[in-house]
Every structure is written in C-alpha cells, then in structure tokens.
Amino acid sequence: MSVFNWKEDYSVSVPSIDAQHKKLIGYINQLYDSMKIGNGNKAIAEVLEGLTLYTVIHFHAEEQLMIQFKYYNYPSHKKQHEDLIKRVDDFKKQFTQENHKIIFELAEFLKKWLINHIAVTDKVLGKYLQAKGVI
Ligand code: FEO
C-alpha cells in the first residue's frame, strides 16, 4: 500500500503537470517501499537517482511553460525549484556518507514539500496556464 496517495485536491487543472506530479508521488512511494522491504544502498540509490532526474525534468517542463506563456511569477517559482534541487543534493551527499536513516527523512521532506508546493505555487501557475488555454 502506498504511503503517499494522489488526491483530486492536488490537481492544478493542467493534465500534463498533474501527470508529472503523479509520477513524482510514485517515486516517493518507491523510496518508502525500498526502506520498508529493507533494500540495500544500491537499490535505494537507483530510486533516488530516478527521482532526482525526474524532478529536474518536471521542473524544466513547468519552467518552459512559464517562459512560453510569460508567467508573471516565473523568477520566484523557479527559485523554489532550485532550492528543492539543492536540498535533495544535500540529502544525497549525506546518504552516501551516512546511510538509510537519511532516506526516510528525505522521503518525508519531499512528501511535505511537494504537497505544499502543489497546493500553493503550482496551483497559482495552473490557474494562470488554464486561463491562457493550456490543457
Ligand atoms: Fe510541480 Fe513547481 O513544481
């Protein structure tokens, strides 16, 4: 059973962005699952790499839409993305130096970050894009 479930509440009204958020939630659940079944460092590192890569892809996709549609809040939204990537990099360094306990912390951090970011920042962007006709 997933620890982190998608809810309609998380929708930002732009299906392509919702699909990407669902995929990110899937990666976060994979991290929880890896810990639950006691996977080794190598397997966890692979999930972590997938999640990190997909986060960059997702942020890039959102940022391209912001540029294309001249989003007024682009700089501060992009800054939130950059800060998150920096935090994840810091976690990853600790993971290689320490071990598993940091992964639980990372999964919890990402879960809270994503919920808050979607609920506020991405929803504002979603409304803007929807008004511009992006579906
Ligand atoms: Fe969905 Fe702004 O990240």
Side-chain angles (χ1 to χ4, degrees):
M1 199 173 95
S2 297
V3 170
F4 187 7
N5 293 306
W6 167 263
K7 293 192 285 193
E8 219 27 62
D9 243 19
Y10 298 152
S11 174
V12 299
S13 308
V14 177
S16 62
I17 296 179
D18 284 347
Q20 291 165 15
H21 288 156
K22 285 176 188 170
K23 197 159 170 172
L24 282 174
I25 288 172
Y27 272 116
I28 294 170
N29 280 321
Q30 273 187 52
L31 266 189
Y32 281 112
D33 288 345
S34 280
M35 288 181 290
K36 208 161 47 186
I37 60 178
N39 272 346
N41 281 3
K42 189 170 175 284
I44 291 175
E46 279 172 14
V47 177
L48 202 46
E49 273 316 301
L51 187 147
T52 309
L53 183 63
Y54 195 73
T55 302
V56 171
I57 289 168
H58 165 61
F59 287 170
H60 182 71
E62 272 188 10
E63 288 162 15
Q64 285 306 110
L65 284 169
M66 290 189 236
I67 292 167
Q68 186 183 348
F69 291 94
K70 301 181 180 2
Y71 183 47
Y72 61 94
N73 211 21
Y74 171 67
S76 84
H77 195 141
K78 183 175 166 59
K79 173 85 170 56
Q80 286 190 30
H81 290 170
E82 288 167 350
D83 289 347
L84 187 272
I85 287 170
K86 165 93 179 56
R87 287 293 301 273
V88 172
D89 276 348
D90 291 345
F91 269 113
K92 280 165 69 180
K93 281 179 198 135
Q94 287 180 52
F95 172 62
T96 49
Q97 287 158 11
E98 295 171 23
N99 57 40
H100 284 188
K101 71 178 185 337
I102 201 69
I103 295 302
F104 183 74
E105 250 179 72
L106 172 61
E108 288 288 298
F109 167 75
L110 286 174
K111 182 179 168 187
K112 284 185 190 135
W113 188 92
L114 196 60
I115 290 170
N116 288 331
H117 184 79
I118 289 173
V120 181
T121 313
D122 283 350
K123 277 201 186 256
V124 174
L125 171 63
K127 277 201 172 71
Y128 179 86
L129 292 174
Q130 204 183 24
K132 296 280 177 188
V134 179
I135 53 162

